[in-house]
Amino acid sequence: IFAGSTAIASSEPSDDVYRFQRIYSEGDKYSGVTGYFTLNQGSTGLEGSLNRQLSGTANSQFFDQLNAIITGQEPTGASVATTLDAEAQQAAWDAMQGYEGAVVAIEPATGRILALVSTPGFDPNPLASHTTSDVIEQYTALDEASPSPLQNRAYGGAQYSPGSTFKIIMTAAALENGYAPDSQFDNPATLTLP
């Protein structure tokens, strides 16, 4: 999984029966994006939603799988290139230190996600261990932590209501429809709908 040209999650050869170990560089900073991959305990984030592509078993990779069988090669997974900007991600991560919440920076013209941070974050590396008891121990510790680092505040879990931020949208709509900045609106206790 890439953020720009930087690999934020990769598989490296290992000396055990699984042959590859999942590694997360700067795991805390990108955990809201990558999520985590475990052998027997599930996966979240891009690891969970794109696991079939990352492992090379997606239906869209049928011809790659067929080619691997014919040539005697091991099937390989695909890479995922995100639209994250490393500088924007770092700025969002730095700004959120000491806070519980999320930052999502979106390029308005294209909808590209430039930064996605959920804090507190967590290091997904211990969850990628090949020892199930270690994974369960690490997961339990993260699950019992307060506030929960496993709750992705950017797009999952208990969402925060928009509150007063919605007033900006209503104000913009009023201005576009002929109201002036000093216009007053009735605020009746009840409203009969048409």
Side-chain angles (χ1 to χ4, degrees):
I1 302 175
F2 287 91
S5 61
T6 303
I8 58 176
S10 59
S11 294
E12 296 183 3
S14 67
D15 294 331
D16 60 18
V17 67
Y18 298 107
R19 299 192 342 243
F20 290 95
Q21 174 68 50
R22 202 67 172 149
I23 304 294
Y24 300 92
S25 63
E26 302 183 82
D28 288 354
K29 183 178 12 172
Y30 288 100
S31 62
V33 176
T34 62
Y36 59 82
F37 173 82
T38 66
L39 292 174
N40 302 312
Q41 305 301 314
S43 301
T44 63
L46 289 179
E47 290 283 20
S49 63
L50 297 175
N51 184 16
R52 298 203 57 181
Q53 288 82 357
L54 290 166
S55 63
T57 61
N59 291 338
S60 61
Q61 295 164 309
F62 172 76
F63 290 111
D64 294 333
Q65 295 168 22
L66 185 60
N67 183 46
I69 291 170
I70 292 170
T71 61
Q73 298 175 352
E74 288 289 322
T76 58
S79 293
V80 173
T82 68
T83 58
L84 295 174
D85 177 273
E87 290 179 18
Q89 183 77 7
Q90 184 67 52
W93 176 251
D94 291 344
M96 288 303 294
Q97 294 312 293
Y99 295 100
E100 176 184 347
V103 170
V104 180
I106 302 172
E107 184 177 73
T110 63
R112 291 177 45 211
I113 305 295
L114 302 176
L116 188 147
V117 171
S118 177
T119 56
F122 64 94
D123 182 4
N125 285 296
L127 296 173
S129 170
H130 291 169
T131 306
T132 301
S133 60
D134 290 346
V135 171
I136 292 171
E137 180 181 325
Q138 291 294 323
Y139 180 85
T140 301
L142 289 169
D143 190 43
E144 292 174 353
S146 181
S148 175
L150 294 177
Q151 179 183 354
N152 192 316
R153 290 159 179 81
Y155 59 81
Q159 298 292 309
Y160 301 103
S161 58
S164 293
T165 59
F166 196 72
K167 291 177 185 174
I168 297 168
I169 296 168
M170 297 303 294
T171 302
L175 292 172
E176 281 184 359
N177 287 288
Y179 291 93
D182 59 348
S183 295
Q184 293 187 6
F185 297 88
D186 291 333
N187 187 16
T190 61
L191 178 65
T192 304
L193 297 175

